[in-house]
Amino acid sequence: MIIIGSHVGMSGTKMYQGSVEEALNYGATAFMVYTGAPQNTIRKSIKDLNIEAASDLMAKSGLQFDHVVVHAPYIVNLANPDPEKRAFAVEFLTKEVIRTASMHVKQMVLHPGSAVGLDREQAVTWIAQGLQQVIDNTKDLDVKIALETMAGKGNEVGRTFEELKAIIDQTNRPGRLSVCFDTCHTHDSGYDIKNDFEGVMKHFDDVVGIEYISVIHVNDSKNEMGARKDRHENFGFGYIGFDALLNIVYYDKFKDIPKILETPYVNGKPPYKYEIAMIKSKVFNPNLLEVIEHDESL
Ligand code: FE
Ligand code: FE
Ligand code: ZN
């Protein structure tokens, strides 16, 4: 069975249990959560995450913790030139790894950082140093930090495979680092995953090693290859297109890792139930967005 899901919410009193319920509603076999709002670092304490109820539901439904992913908030920046802000990022991410482990999850996706001071080499070094501290602070925990391939918007670090490799190389305990391959981001940063996915994978394998990829973010793109915009589009409705995305989702080397949709809501409605069904059916439905719009149950 294909391991596919989407990002889901985690809020209210149900918290993690609500995340599992939402994933099951979508017919998903995987899911990703932010442990609070993605744009801030306010987090509930672990005892309020409702982990036991979530675990019971996971066991009952057959969902596997290996197919669950936590995404760190995107405002923490290990490459911030201000040492106090870097220290805060290390402290927050240490706690996030502990939270991830408490949730029985094995990987946490992280945007590597942003080179605010424009010196990308310095940024890579700070990111590697920060990661090293987080890893050292959580030595006994079986959680990988999955560095996400970035679109290259602004001064984002991780726009090229070489940059991700440089971070990994400057960090000890490489077993704790992996890569999250985002299809919209790699397309936007200039990799031709639409027409030459095999070639892009060969290049990734040469630079980093394909075995580093531990999760896929499955998104179409609203922009042309190389646009560096990072604007996600619904599956099959953007510049990457249905066939190329389906090829990636069913790529044999990815069969054991979670594939996660981060496609946009359609008129305030989550598209995931329909996108997942379409991916499972392998048949493009050009009317999918209208169907979602008119589904009163969403
Ligand atoms: Fe991300
Ligand atoms: Fe992503
Ligand atoms: Zn994105």
Side-chain angles (χ1 to χ4, degrees), residues 37-176:
Q39 64 275 23
N40 71 41
T41 52
I42 301 161
R43 292 297 181 263
K44 287 190 179 174
S45 73
I46 288 171
K47 67 170 176 28
D48 294 328
L49 300 181
N50 209 9
I51 294 170
E52 260 197 45
S55 303
D56 289 349
L57 190 54
M58 291 281 294
K60 237 185 273 166
S61 63
L63 275 178
Q64 292 179 36
F65 283 115
D66 283 356
H67 302 158
V68 181
V69 181
V70 163
H71 197 313
Y74 36 75
I75 50 133
V76 295
N77 183 11
L78 288 172
N80 197 303
D82 179 344
E84 272 179 40
K85 291 196 171 133
R86 288 205 301 281
F88 173 80
V90 167
E91 192 192 325
F92 179 85
L93 290 172
T94 298
K95 287 187 202 145
E96 188 82 334
V97 168
I98 294 168
R99 243 187 314 273
T100 301
S102 306
M103 292 164 67
H104 313 293
V105 175
K106 304 284 182 344
Q107 55 176 325
M108 179 190 82
V109 172
L110 176 70
H111 296 182
S114 182
V116 184
L118 301 175
D119 180 343
R120 299 185 75 88
E121 259 181 68
Q122 175 64 261
V124 163
T125 301
W126 277 332
I127 292 166
Q129 287 171 349
L131 287 170
Q132 190 66 57
Q133 291 179 55
V134 175
I135 288 167
D136 290 344
N137 289 345
T138 57
K139 266 193 200 68
D140 303 324
L141 300 182
D142 178 22
V143 173
K144 278 188 201 295
I145 301 170
L147 303 173
E148 184 160 352
T149 57
M150 302 308 290
K153 199 178 42 167
N155 302 306
E156 278 172 352
V157 179
R159 170 166 57 82
T160 64
F161 302 156
E162 285 78 4
E163 226 163 34
L164 292 177
K165 171 67 173 167
I167 295 168
I168 292 168
D169 276 351
Q170 289 183 42
T171 314
N172 281 328
R173 295 172 56 89
R176 293 288 303 281

Side-chain angles (χ1 to χ4, degrees), residues 99-293:
R99 243 187 314 273
T100 301
S102 306
M103 292 164 67
H104 313 293
V105 175
K106 304 284 182 344
Q107 55 176 325
M108 179 190 82
V109 172
L110 176 70
H111 296 182
S114 182
V116 184
L118 301 175
D119 180 343
R120 299 185 75 88
E121 259 181 68
Q122 175 64 261
V124 163
T125 301
W126 277 332
I127 292 166
Q129 287 171 349
L131 287 170
Q132 190 66 57
Q133 291 179 55
V134 175
I135 288 167
D136 290 344
N137 289 345
T138 57
K139 266 193 200 68
D140 303 324
L141 300 182
D142 178 22
V143 173
K144 278 188 201 295
I145 301 170
L147 303 173
E148 184 160 352
T149 57
M150 302 308 290
K153 199 178 42 167
N155 302 306
E156 278 172 352
V157 179
R159 170 166 57 82
T160 64
F161 302 156
E162 285 78 4
E163 226 163 34
L164 292 177
K165 171 67 173 167
I167 295 168
I168 292 168
D169 276 351
Q170 289 183 42
T171 314
N172 281 328
R173 295 172 56 89
R176 293 288 303 281
L177 293 182
S178 63
V179 171
C180 167
F181 191 96
D182 187 307
T183 55
C184 170
H185 296 177
T186 46
H187 163 91
D188 278 28
S189 77
Y191 292 106
D192 192 3
I193 59 166
K194 179 182 172 73
N195 301 301
D196 187 24
F197 182 65
E198 284 291 342
V200 173
M201 276 302 108
K202 165 89 174 63
H203 180 53
F204 186 93
D205 196 37
D206 289 344
V207 175
V208 183
I210 200 162
E211 69 282 1
Y212 271 88
I213 299 176
S214 60
V215 50
I216 310 293
H217 281 174
V218 186
N219 306 302
D220 214 325
S221 174
K222 284 192 197 293
N223 292 98
E224 281 173 55
M225 187 180 96
R228 295 201 194 171
K229 297 272 205 223
D230 189 7
R231 294 192 61 218
H232 301 184
E233 181 55 283
N234 290 102
F235 193 103
F237 292 87
Y239 277 85
I240 304 173
F242 186 79
D243 292 344
L245 285 172
L246 201 71
N247 177 47
I248 295 168
V249 163
Y250 283 98
Y251 190 58
D252 191 55
K253 288 175 179 152
F254 297 160
K255 72 174 187 307
D256 297 327
I257 64 173
K259 272 78 66 181
I260 304 291
L261 293 154
E262 302 173 296
T263 47
Y265 274 40
V266 180
N267 264 354
K269 295 178 176 180
Y272 309 117
K273 184 177 100 178
Y274 285 99
E275 286 182 320
I276 289 167
M278 184 169 72
I279 290 165
K280 285 181 181 168
S281 79
K282 303 188 185 181
V283 181
F284 184 56
N285 177 359
N287 302 316
L288 195 78
L289 303 184
E290 285 99 90
V291 174
I292 294 166
E293 239 187 280

